[in-house]
Amino acid sequence: MFFRSLLLICATSLLNLLTPAFGQTIDYDKLQEEISLLNDNNQNEKSLIKLEAIINDAESTAYDKYHAYLQKSLTYKQLYNYTAALTNLQNAYLEGQKSKHRIETETRILIERILIHYDLKNDKELLEAIKQVDPAQLHYVKKETLAFYICVLGQLEFKKDNLVAAEKYFDDGIKLLEQQNPKHLPVLYKAKIQLYTRLKNKQKAQEAFDKGFYYANKYGIDIYRITMLESMILYYVENDDYKHAYEVQKKVSEERRQYDAANRSGKLNQIEQELLQHRNLEESSNQKKITLLYVYVIILLLALIFALYKLNKANKQRRLSIEKELELLRFRLLKDANSTDTQENPPLSKSIETSKLKPRHLKIIELVREGKTNKEIASDLFISDNTVKYHLKTIYDILEVNSRSELM
């Protein structure tokens, strides 16, 4: 029972050590919605902690980590930390290369890079990236992200003064967002404010502002409310309405102070450093646990080997003892079988020629007929086993017998 329990413990320990982890199931659309909602409510720290948990989970697949890094990039982008956004986008690309969704991940990351280059006004990198876009692969891109990409294309036409084409792009983007995610409509209406400001169409510019500001307030997204107000500042300046421009600028300054993007981005970097430190400590602790587990298993195996050795030795001794007992029993049975003939057999000294046997020989014969073994005879006569064997050989030769049973 003990050895069975020991084997069970060893097997269980090895199984726990060697059992592979299976990938967890993540609803990527739900994850994006959750992170987006947290960011919209200025809870970027919670977003980061949740995403870091996925990235550092041993059960996360490369595709899981790709999505987590992608959402981290969008979190930093919303706080205007484009360096961190691009770093996480690169991490997302590397994880995507390890997955079975390379075309999808490459396409989505390319579009996100285009949007960041546009925000940073990196015109050269922007145009080079747009050349790499394969329209046949755009179905991999989320509708709201596609709307932002269309907005960028419209802005490029706007810079070329192709205002009709630009307006067409903006309207297409608005249609996509109305169907998919209206909370991002301020992005497109901001672009339309610029367009109508260029066209000197005050009515349409005001309508675009009212709609964009309405959606920013409806969904409570501070950054969109700020960008809409900033667009109106430019609108008023273009129309030499500095009084309204100044009033809106005061609102923007207050909104910016409350939003505090730079400070919150710094907090995110600090949280990320703390999470990294915690992860390193956890990995070190896990490594120690694994090492201890290896030592534990080795000790159990050595104990098992030693126990099996002792068991084998005990079994061997037991077998020898049984064989000895059987040998003794055989002699006793032979003695009992011949006891009935005792009356018919004359004393040894009268039935054989004793002149050839020495007194010691006669004593040994007497002890043999009593059923004693060589060892017992040696003990009775205070001689060695080998001496008994030597005397028996001499007795066999004199009496011309070949075995103990014949002698008896």
Side-chain angles (χ1 to χ4, degrees), residues 108-163:
R108 293 185 65 181
I109 289 172
L110 176 60
I111 299 300
E112 292 295 344
R113 282 198 175 124
I114 288 173
L115 299 180
I116 291 177
H117 288 315
Y118 173 77
D119 287 349
L120 293 174
K121 302 185 186 306
N122 297 331
D123 294 340
K124 181 179 179 181
E125 291 85 352
L126 173 64
L127 295 175
E128 286 296 325
I130 289 177
K131 290 179 183 178
Q132 299 174 31
V133 176
D134 182 355
Q137 307 299 341
L138 288 177
H139 65 277
Y140 288 118
V141 181
K142 297 286 185 181
K143 288 293 183 11
E144 64 183 64
T145 306
L146 187 59
F148 297 149
Y149 172 66
I150 290 173
C151 182
V152 170
L153 297 180
Q155 291 286 8
L156 293 177
E157 295 298 325
F158 179 76
K159 287 183 178 181
K160 298 176 186 176
D161 218 25
N162 296 330
L163 303 185

Side-chain angles (χ1 to χ4, degrees), residues 124-375:
K124 181 179 179 181
E125 291 85 352
L126 173 64
L127 295 175
E128 286 296 325
I130 289 177
K131 290 179 183 178
Q132 299 174 31
V133 176
D134 182 355
Q137 307 299 341
L138 288 177
H139 65 277
Y140 288 118
V141 181
K142 297 286 185 181
K143 288 293 183 11
E144 64 183 64
T145 306
L146 187 59
F148 297 149
Y149 172 66
I150 290 173
C151 182
V152 170
L153 297 180
Q155 291 286 8
L156 293 177
E157 295 298 325
F158 179 76
K159 287 183 178 181
K160 298 176 186 176
D161 218 25
N162 296 330
L163 303 185
V164 175
E167 186 175 22
K168 176 67 169 56
Y169 275 121
F170 297 153
D171 288 338
D172 289 343
I174 288 173
K175 289 178 182 177
L176 274 177
L177 287 179
E178 286 176 340
Q179 297 171 1
Q180 187 66 27
N181 204 338
K183 73 178 183 181
H184 296 300
L185 280 169
V187 175
L188 274 299
Y189 282 117
K190 173 187 174 182
K192 294 198 79 173
I193 291 173
Q194 296 173 330
L195 174 67
Y196 294 135
T197 299
R198 177 79 62 86
L199 292 171
K200 303 296 183 180
N201 192 327
K202 294 183 180 181
Q203 181 180 352
K204 286 191 174 182
Q206 186 64 49
E207 289 175 356
F209 171 77
D210 291 340
K211 289 180 180 179
F213 203 66
Y214 163 77
Y215 284 109
N217 286 321
K218 178 180 179 180
Y219 293 99
I221 303 177
D222 295 337
I223 190 62
Y224 285 161
R225 188 164 52 249
I226 293 170
T227 56
M228 292 304 298
L229 289 171
E230 288 175 339
S231 298
M232 286 307 293
I233 293 174
L234 296 175
Y235 167 77
Y236 287 132
V237 170
E238 286 288 330
N239 288 278
D240 298 325
D241 189 350
Y242 297 106
K243 178 182 178 181
H244 285 96
Y246 176 70
E247 291 175 354
V248 175
Q249 178 61 56
K250 288 194 298 182
K251 291 182 180 179
V252 169
S253 297
E254 179 60 23
E255 293 271 357
R256 283 286 182 187
R257 187 186 67 79
Q258 294 180 6
Y259 187 70
D260 195 16
N263 184 45
R264 286 195 287 135
S265 179
K267 288 181 180 178
L268 284 189
N269 288 328
Q270 182 180 355
I271 290 174
E272 191 161 6
Q273 289 298 321
E274 291 174 355
L275 289 172
L276 177 61
Q277 184 178 4
H278 176 73
R279 184 175 70 219
N280 291 336
L281 289 174
E282 188 173 326
E283 288 177 354
S284 177
S285 176
N286 289 337
Q287 187 60 43
K288 289 180 180 178
K289 289 179 181 178
I290 292 174
T291 302
L292 287 175
L293 183 56
Y294 273 120
V295 172
Y296 174 65
V297 171
I298 290 172
I299 291 173
L300 285 177
L301 289 175
L302 290 174
L304 177 62
I305 292 171
F306 178 75
L308 291 175
Y309 166 76
K310 296 292 289 183
L311 178 64
N312 182 61
K313 185 176 180 180
N315 287 337
K316 184 176 180 180
Q317 291 177 346
R318 185 179 178 186
R319 188 182 70 251
L320 292 174
S321 177
I322 291 174
E323 289 178 354
K324 187 179 292 184
E325 290 179 3
L326 289 175
E327 179 69 16
L328 180 59
L329 180 61
R330 186 175 70 85
F331 281 121
R332 288 177 178 173
L333 288 174
L334 287 173
K335 178 181 177 181
D336 292 341
N338 294 313
S339 63
T340 55
D341 299 329
T342 303
Q343 298 297 330
E344 299 175 3
N345 292 332
L348 183 62
S349 58
K350 296 180 180 180
S351 60
I352 60 175
E353 182 61 50
T354 59
S355 60
K356 295 181 181 180
L357 294 173
K358 298 179 180 179
R360 178 56 58 92
H361 295 159
L362 296 173
K363 184 60 178 177
I364 290 175
I365 294 173
E366 182 181 346
L367 293 174
V368 168
R369 296 184 69 181
E370 291 177 4
K372 293 190 175 184
T373 64
N374 289 355
K375 188 173 183 180

